Amino acid sequence: MQQTLRISGMTCAACAQRIEKVTGKLVGVSESSVNFATEKLTVNFDEKVINYSDIQSAVSKAGYELHIEQSEKQVTIPIEGMTCASCAQRIEKTVSKLNGVSSANVNLATEKATIHYDPSKIRLSQIKSEIIKIGYKPLESIGVDKVDEDKARKQKAIKVLWIKFVVSSVFSIPLFYLAMAPMIKWLSLPVPEFLDPMTFPLVFAFAQIALVIPVLIAGNRFFVVGFKAIWQRSPNMDSLIAMGTTAAVLYSLYATYLISIGTFSAVENMYFETAGVIISLILLGKYLESVSKGKTSEAIKKLMGLAPKTALVIHNGEEVIIPVEEVEVGDVLIVKPGEKIPVDGQITVGYTAIDESMLTGESMPVEKKIGDVVYAASINTNGLIHFKATKVGADTALAQIIKLVEDAQGSKAPIAQMADIVSGYFVPIVFVIATLVAAIWFLSGQTLTFSLSIFIAILVIACPCALGLATPTAIMVGTGKGAENGILIKGGEALETAHKINTIVFDKTGTLTEGKPAVTDIVVVPGYLSEALILQIAASAEKGSEHPLGQAIVRRAEQDKIEFQSIDSFEAIPGHGIKVKINQLSVLLGNQKLIRENNIELKEFEKISDDLADQGKTPMFIAVEGRFAGIIAVADVVKPSSARAIQKLNKMGIQTIMITGDNKKTAAAIAKQVGIDRVLSEVLPQDKASEVKKIQNEGRIVAMVGDGINDAPALVQANVGIAIGSGTDVAMESADIVLMRSDLMEVPTAIQLSKSTIRNIKQNLFWAFAYNVLGIPLAAGALYIFGGPVLNPVFAAAAMSLSSVSVLTNALRLKSFKPYN
Amino acid sequence: MKKLAIVSGVSALVLAGLVGCTQTDVVAKYGISSFNEVVELSDVTADSELNAWSLSAPDGSARFLFSTNFKTTAPHDVMAEIDAQPFIDAGLDVTKLPAGMFIDGMIMVGQALGEQEFSANAQATPEASFKELVKLSRVTLGYHEALAHYGIDLGDGNKFEWAKDLAANDKDIVFVLDPVVFADAGVDVANVSGWVFAKVEVMDASGNKVEVEKLLKPFNLK
């Protein structure tokens, strides 16, 4: 089974790698992937061989925490009607006995019951009804909302980091001042006489120790995790911080010892302030990082916050407000104007317009009538409706979208895997470089203090956290931004591949066209029957037809408010059309073959028919009482956005191809309308995938845009499959990107979003690498060789923290991405 | 967080405690003990007239005097008394020296440190008096890192210094004079017999390391 679990305690990409390595090695685990930005572990494992606690203990041994989401829920129900302790006991006993309830605790004083239950075994409404049965009145339950819980957890982590930073700063600032003031004599900064390093060196040293201890405690995590990782021969960013600051502290303690035995000159060799300031700066960096990381997942939070918390349900003829989790499939719900739809369902009463922009990005409200489907979180703008719940909880479209976006944000793009590999090797290499460089300086005659300073600076500046954040943060913001605009990108790989696309194959029906044929022309034989009469006869003949062309005629008649007439007889002639009797009139309606076989002459209408076909329209011929009466042309109308989208794509340098089962003439006509120059016509549904493959064999990177079940194999075959959201579930399942609206302008938008995201990732990786590539030689004393300064470890820490913050800030720039439409 | 607050509070208390603890004043501790070694190797006598202990240079050309009791010592609680003849030979016009600096053929440099009364015990031995002196006027004692010397500030740029480690230093005691006042009084400071005119690295009032010219008269006590 595959499970995604939350991990805490990671500080860099090396941590993520370590967890992947540890869990990946476990017997029974087939695949393990950690996303540093989302702090989630996705693991595939065999439940028969290994269980959660085995994985949890392996992660814990590696120095991190694995949080297993409880399937159990906790709920607090206020209860009315309790008068004494035995009432509370009675409720406790009754509820505890229920199958699926693991514990029930009733507090008489607060009049509340706290219940732990498994929602897969028992519904909350059942628990409440049991309480009612024994004579008490349960009120609206107070559940712990998942979004709020996640938000609270993250906010708590941010708050803890902030407090730690404040505490460490409160001690680091005086520590830094104390250490630096005697060195910056020209500023004549005042230092109390009892802390003068020349007169009272040991007091000076002890004062620094007293100041650095709280800082070390505030940053204790770096030491616990860092040394644990070194011990397990898998050093990470914390290891670098821990090693650097520990070396500074130990050397300073040694200097303190020297002072205590009379070597007062050692007062000049103390680095307590370096350790203190490094920890403070890194804590500041981590704080800013967590704030920025929170912002990267705002899109998903917005989605999760869309659903209403309660629903108005008709129970036994009464309107009852219940928590949305208690709504069951089949419940009839009432939604008033201005309210949000709580779950997915089908309208049973009423007519309204619904704003589905939060799901589709489409700003215009969609008109809905009886039988139409409504989606959770969309807004009922005007009419009052009743609808029957068809999908609740995790099955609603909103929940599916959230899952899709969450999965995408948690997935790794190939470029991220490369960054992970690099950062995995990076830390041990930095250790080696730092040790070698420090040793070389020492052997070349520099003091131990100088060499130590170099050692610390290299370790600190080389922390690869920016490297680890570069890709996942950009993917999170990119996919989130896509979701906000109705573009659901299913994974990092799709996002990455989309930017390389140079060819897009469009399915015709339902993709470039509306997919619903419509009457485009009615041509009548002059002096015989009127246009309205022909339409009335044809629509009456086709009433009840399931053929798309027939349905188009019926829709047009309905639109024109034409009254239907009853049919006396009906005969379907397969491959030709129909033969009906209406008001004693004999009517033939069908293709040219039907007319010819009945020896009816078309005369000049044959040419008109050919012209209509050339325009991609399907002519349907009608003859009344053995005499040709006219042509009704039906065509699948091109979407208004199709031509604009194709033009935009062509401007982007992307070749566009149309694939269809239609004949060459019709296909060419549609292609001409939208501006596509390459057409693959008369392609059987089963051959669409092989056509895509042929294009790929030309060396092109292909995206397939489609909506139907028959497009699914081609969507899978393409490098990136793009499904139109109005299409079938199969197409959406098979696609890598789902466009929630039918607007084809979302195709160039999706590709542009991919390009922007990948460009952002590359910028992030460039900066992350640049910091290290430039920082390490600087820290190693490259400038000093040429008579320049040595990089102080404190500045190294500042640069390191800045690198993470700048990478995150760059990723957040993606939030300003503007869609084309 | 509670733990962090507790540790922070404890750290502050520890700091306060350490500052108050005399054992942490290692300069004073080692300065006094090495001075005691100097006393052991030198001729130290009580000067009842000045109410001071007198530590004489091996050749008798100079002595360092330090108070047995701030309350009774006058005019200086710490003082160097130096034979003026080599300076006169180098051109010293004694009338140009500040008042009280030349008395009976001797040059006197020093300063008053306080008015506190020493206990009887503190007056009993040179070591006890010196310890009390440092205790009551801690800033007078310093450490000269460049020479690994402790020093008692005699005021006006003059000092009496002794080696931190007598065994490792051939300049066990050094009388240090500021040459400016002598140069102003006509002395050819580079040619004072028995004295070395040299540039020495010292700390200025702001604690900066600076190189200054000094007249030095070192002695090896061993």
Side-chain angles (χ1 to χ4, degrees):
Chain A
M1 74 178 292
Q2 189 188 66
Q3 196 72 31
T4 301
L5 306 159
R6 190 166 62 79
I7 299 265
S8 64
M10 290 192 294
T11 49
C12 65
C15 296
Q17 277 240 314
R18 166 104 191 107
I19 297 168
E20 273 180 10
K21 210 167 149 187
V22 165
T23 49
K25 273 184 188 170
L26 295 171
V27 179
V29 172
S30 56
E31 202 185 341
S32 170
S33 168
V34 175
N35 185 308
F36 172 50
T38 56
E39 296 179 327
K40 283 188 176 157
L41 160 72
T42 305
V43 62
N44 267 312
F45 64 99
D46 184 348
E47 283 174 290
K48 288 172 198 158
V49 182
I50 191 165
N51 58 29
Y52 281 125
S53 49
D54 296 330
I55 300 170
Q56 195 172 31
S57 100
V59 172
S60 168
K61 265 187 196 166
Y64 308 93
E65 268 185 83
L66 181 76
H67 304 272
I68 293 168
E69 305 286 343
Q70 295 292 320
S71 61
E72 211 177 65
K73 265 186 170 179
Q74 183 195 313
V75 70
T76 302
I77 309 173
I79 296 175
E80 269 182 17
M82 288 192 290
T83 50
C84 62
S86 60
C87 295
Q89 276 203 329
R90 193 165 166 224
I91 296 169
E92 263 184 20
K93 213 172 161 186
T94 309
V95 176
S96 302
K97 272 184 189 169
L98 297 170
N99 182 27
V101 173
S102 58
S103 75
N105 187 358
V106 180
N107 187 320
L108 178 68
T110 59
E111 294 186 314
K112 278 176 187 161
T114 305
I115 298 161
H116 288 91
Y117 72 104
D118 183 347
S120 63
K121 290 183 181 160
I122 189 164
R123 287 181 62 104
L124 189 56
S125 53
Q126 287 175 273
I127 299 172
K128 283 185 177 177
S129 91
E130 289 300 318
I131 296 171
I132 293 166
K133 270 186 200 165
I134 55 169
Y136 304 96
K137 189 181 175 190
L139 304 176
E140 195 181 317
S141 52
I142 310 159
V144 184
D145 191 273
K146 198 187 164 195
V147 186
D148 297 341
E149 199 181 345
D150 187 55
K151 196 176 166 189
R153 182 177 59 76
K154 285 193 172 159
Q155 277 181 344
K156 193 184 166 193
I158 290 172
K159 196 178 162 193
V160 167
L161 272 172
W162 174 249
I163 292 171
K164 284 187 171 185
F165 165 66
V166 169
V167 169
S168 80
S169 299
V170 162
F171 288 91
S172 287
I173 292 167
L175 175 63
F176 186 71
Y177 179 86
L178 191 60
M180 288 297 144
M183 290 186 201
I184 318 166
K185 300 285 170 37
W186 51 273
L187 278 177
S188 298
L189 297 168
V191 174
E193 196 176 71
F194 68 88
L195 289 174
D196 179 66
M198 290 303 140
T199 314
F200 299 99
L202 195 60
V203 176
F204 177 74
F206 280 151
Q208 293 200 36
I209 293 172
L211 289 168
V212 86
I213 287 171
V215 184
L216 297 178
I217 291 169
N220 70 326
R221 224 210 110 67
F222 300 124
F223 301 100
V224 174
V225 176
F227 284 118
K228 210 168 187 178
I230 294 174
W231 181 250
Q232 289 165 343
R233 283 182 293 173
S234 183
N236 57 12
M237 176 201 140
D238 292 329
S239 310
L240 296 175
I241 306 289
M243 280 295 288
T245 50
T246 304
V249 170
L250 288 180
Y251 187 69
S252 306
L253 287 173
Y254 175 63
T256 308
Y257 164 73
L258 290 179
I259 294 167
S260 75
I261 59 165
T263 310
F264 308 128
S265 57
V267 79
E268 290 174 2
N269 298 334
M270 289 201 295
Y271 277 95
F272 288 121
E273 88 287 353
T274 305
V277 176
I278 286 172
I279 288 171
S280 298
L281 285 172
I282 308 252
L283 282 171
L284 174 66
K286 288 276 146 202
Y287 164 74
L288 293 174
E289 194 179 303
S290 56
V291 170
S292 308
K293 266 163 101 176
K295 283 184 185 167
T296 59
S297 54
E298 263 173 14
I300 197 94
K301 276 184 207 153
K302 270 189 205 167
L303 284 173
M304 289 168 102
L306 286 176
K309 303 230 177 331
T310 56
L312 181 61
V313 181
I314 301 174
H315 265 182
N316 303 322
E318 274 182 40
E319 292 179 9
V320 194
I321 294 174
I322 60 168
V324 75
E325 311 89 71
E326 290 184 28
V327 177
E328 287 182 60
V329 171
D331 281 351
V332 175
L333 292 89
I334 302 172
V335 183
K336 292 171 184 165
E339 285 181 353
K340 280 184 178 175
I341 309 283
V343 295
D344 291 0
Q346 207 167 18
I347 297 178
T348 52
V349 174
Y351 175 85
T352 187
I354 290 185
D355 176 1
E356 293 181 343
S357 60
M358 62 291 297
L359 296 176
T360 63
E362 174 61 59
S363 55
M364 286 294 289
V366 184
E367 293 199 353
K368 302 267 179 175
K369 57 182 186 303
I370 293 170
D372 284 349
V373 176
V374 290
Y375 298 101
S378 55
I379 300 167
N380 177 20
T381 60
N382 46 28
L384 184 141
I385 53 163
H386 289 201
F387 75 94
K388 193 183 260 186
T390 52
K391 284 176 182 171
V392 297
D395 297 327
T396 64
L398 177 72
Q400 295 289 327
I401 291 169
I402 290 170
K403 176 137 195 342
L404 208 100
V405 177
E406 269 185 335
D407 288 349
Q409 293 191 333
S411 72
K412 274 183 191 170
I415 199 166
Q417 283 158 5
M418 185 204 79
D420 283 357
I421 292 167
V422 171
S423 54
Y425 286 108
F426 196 76
V427 176
I429 289 171
V430 167
F431 262 117
V432 173
I433 292 174
T435 311
L436 276 178
V437 172
I440 290 167
W441 277 116
F442 185 67
L443 293 173
S444 71
Q446 287 292 344
T447 60
L448 182 62
T449 315
F450 180 90
S451 310
L452 183 79
S453 172
I454 296 277
F455 177 73
I456 297 167
I458 296 176
L459 289 185
V460 172
I461 207 164
C463 288
C465 48
L467 207 60
L469 287 169
T471 325
T473 48
I475 287 179
M476 280 177 81
V477 182
T479 49
K481 195 71 203 171
E484 268 179 41
N485 289 290
I487 300 164
L488 301 183
I489 301 161
K490 286 191 184 170
E493 194 169 349
L495 188 70
E496 187 175 339
T497 314
H499 93 284
K500 294 181 198 158
I501 286 165
N502 51 25
T503 305
I504 300 183
V505 179
F506 286 93
D507 162 56
K508 194 206 84 178
T509 312
T511 303
L512 288 169
T513 66
E514 296 285 3
K516 274 185 188 171
V519 173
T520 56
D521 304 85
I522 301 173
V523 185
V524 295
V525 175
Y528 187 35
L529 299 175
S530 70
E531 191 181 309
L533 192 57
I534 284 184
L535 187 61
Q536 187 187 40
I537 294 168
S540 303
E542 292 285 3
K543 180 89 174 141
S545 166
E546 285 185 3
H547 195 282
L549 299 178
Q551 284 176 342
I553 294 170
V554 172
R555 271 198 300 274
R556 172 64 181 269
E558 280 171 349
Q559 264 175 26
D560 293 358
K561 298 196 167 67
I562 287 173
E563 206 177 307
F564 292 87
Q565 297 195 333
S566 55
I567 306 166
D568 301 327
S569 68
F570 180 94
E571 185 190 347
I573 308 161
H576 291 75
I578 53 170
K579 189 178 176 183
V580 290
K581 268 211 161 181
I582 302 170
N583 290 339
Q584 302 305 311
L585 291 172
S586 162
V587 177
L588 288 171
L589 181 60
N591 55 23
Q592 208 169 349
K593 242 187 244 175
L594 179 73
I595 301 297
R596 275 194 189 136
E597 283 178 12
N598 282 280
N599 299 318
I600 297 169
E601 276 192 29
L602 288 174
K603 294 179 187 169
E604 73 270 22
F605 288 93
E606 201 157 337
K607 184 168 183 316
I608 294 170
S609 156
D610 286 348
D611 289 345
L612 288 169
D614 285 346
Q615 291 166 31
K617 296 167 185 174
T618 306
M620 289 177 75
F621 301 83
I622 183 164
V624 179
E625 288 292 302
R627 189 177 161 193
F628 177 65
I631 299 171
I632 298 176
V634 174
D636 192 359
V637 184
V638 169
K639 284 178 186 171
S641 62
S642 296
R644 274 190 302 130
I646 301 297
Q647 195 184 17
K648 186 79 205 171
L649 289 167
N650 289 340
K651 265 190 192 167
M652 289 164 80
I654 295 168
Q655 188 191 22
T656 49
I657 299 172
M658 189 179 85
I659 194 164
T660 177
D662 286 357
N663 62 51
K664 277 183 188 166
K665 225 180 220 179
T666 310
I670 297 285
K672 198 179 165 191
Q673 277 185 55
V674 295
I676 288 178
D677 46 14
R678 188 172 168 188
V679 181
L680 304 172
S681 56
E682 294 173 13
V683 179
L684 295 171
Q686 61 270 30
D687 294 338
K688 279 187 178 176
S690 62
E691 288 297 330
V692 169
K693 199 172 183 181
K694 274 184 205 164
I695 302 165
Q696 284 172 320
N697 290 341
E698 291 170 19
R700 307 197 71 87
I701 297 164
V702 181
M704 168 77 197
V705 187
D707 70 324
I709 293 170
N710 59 358
D711 296 323
L715 289 171
V716 174
Q717 173 61 42
N719 298 86
V720 176
I722 302 174
I724 304 286
S726 55
T728 61
D729 287 348
V730 178
M732 284 193 272
E733 282 286 314
S734 312
D736 302 301
I737 296 174
V738 178
L739 309 179
M740 295 302 291
R741 280 181 289 170
S742 299
D743 189 340
L744 277 193
M745 279 307 282
E746 284 184 353
V747 176
T749 299
I751 290 167
Q752 194 51 44
L753 179 64
S754 161
K755 284 183 189 234
S756 300
T757 308
I758 296 302
R759 191 169 52 238
N760 194 284
I761 289 172
K762 284 179 180 168
Q763 286 164 351
N764 283 351
L765 286 174
F766 169 79
W767 284 113
F769 274 114
Y771 269 110
N772 289 310
V773 169
L774 289 173
I776 292 175
L778 278 181
L783 291 179
Y784 187 76
I785 297 170
F786 301 103
V790 179
L791 185 72
N792 188 306
V794 167
F795 293 112
M800 201 287 288
S801 296
L802 211 71
S803 70
S804 300
V805 174
S806 62
V807 157
L808 275 160
T809 311
N810 190 46
L812 289 173
R813 278 195 318 115
L814 273 176
K815 289 182 105 179
S816 60
F817 176 84
K818 294 263 180 294
Y820 283 131
N821 41 1
Chain B
M1 283 307 109
K2 212 181 265 179
K3 204 162 67 178
L4 200 60
I6 292 167
V7 173
S8 305
V10 170
S11 292
L13 284 174
V14 167
L15 174 62
L18 288 171
V19 170
C21 176
T22 53
Q23 286 304 304
T24 57
D25 187 359
V26 282
V27 171
K29 184 181 159 192
Y30 289 108
I32 290 167
S33 65
S34 62
F35 184 78
N36 291 345
E37 286 178 44
V38 170
V39 168
E40 243 175 66
L41 292 170
S42 308
D43 175 21
V44 181
T45 55
D47 185 324
S48 53
E49 193 184 330
L50 293 172
N51 281 326
W53 297 101
S54 164
L55 189 156
S56 296
D59 65 356
S61 63
R63 63 178 182 143
F64 167 60
L65 293 120
F66 56 98
S67 175
T68 56
N69 185 354
F70 284 171
K71 194 163 189 179
T72 55
T73 307
H76 302 308
D77 293 321
V78 284
M79 186 173 81
E81 189 183 271
I82 295 150
D83 180 10
Q85 197 53 52
F87 293 88
I88 292 166
D89 295 344
L92 174 66
D93 177 355
V94 294
T95 60
K96 287 185 177 170
L97 286 175
M101 195 169 163
F102 178 77
I103 300 167
D104 296 338
M106 304 299 277
I107 291 165
M108 313 271 191
V109 289
Q111 64 171 337
L113 299 178
E115 283 301 318
Q116 299 96 322
E117 179 151 18
F118 284 21
S119 67
N121 281 343
Q123 294 178 40
T125 62
E127 290 89 345
S129 295
F130 187 77
K131 191 177 176 184
E132 189 69 4
L133 183 153
V134 171
K135 186 182 155 194
L136 294 174
S137 182
R138 173 63 184 80
V139 287
T140 313
L141 176 70
Y143 181 69
H144 187 178
E145 197 186 319
L147 295 175
H149 275 178
Y150 292 103
I152 284 286
D153 186 3
L154 302 176
D156 303 323
N158 306 305
K159 270 192 169 185
F160 172 72
E161 291 190 355
W162 65 97
K164 188 177 108 181
D165 183 358
L166 295 179
N169 207 319
D170 59 351
K171 298 174 185 71
D172 294 337
I173 57 170
V174 184
F175 289 88
V176 182
L177 294 177
D178 181 33
V180 177
V181 68
F182 295 104
D184 290 348
V187 177
D188 177 3
V189 290
N191 288 301
V192 182
S193 174
W195 287 81
V196 178
F197 178 67
K199 281 194 172 178
V200 184
E201 190 186 85
V202 293
M203 296 280 187
D204 67 8
S206 311
N208 295 316
K209 278 180 185 171
V210 287
E211 280 210 327
V212 291
E213 292 172 330
K214 293 284 178 189
L215 280 164
L216 308 169
K217 193 171 181 70
F219 295 96
N220 192 346
L221 300 178
K222 299 174 289 284

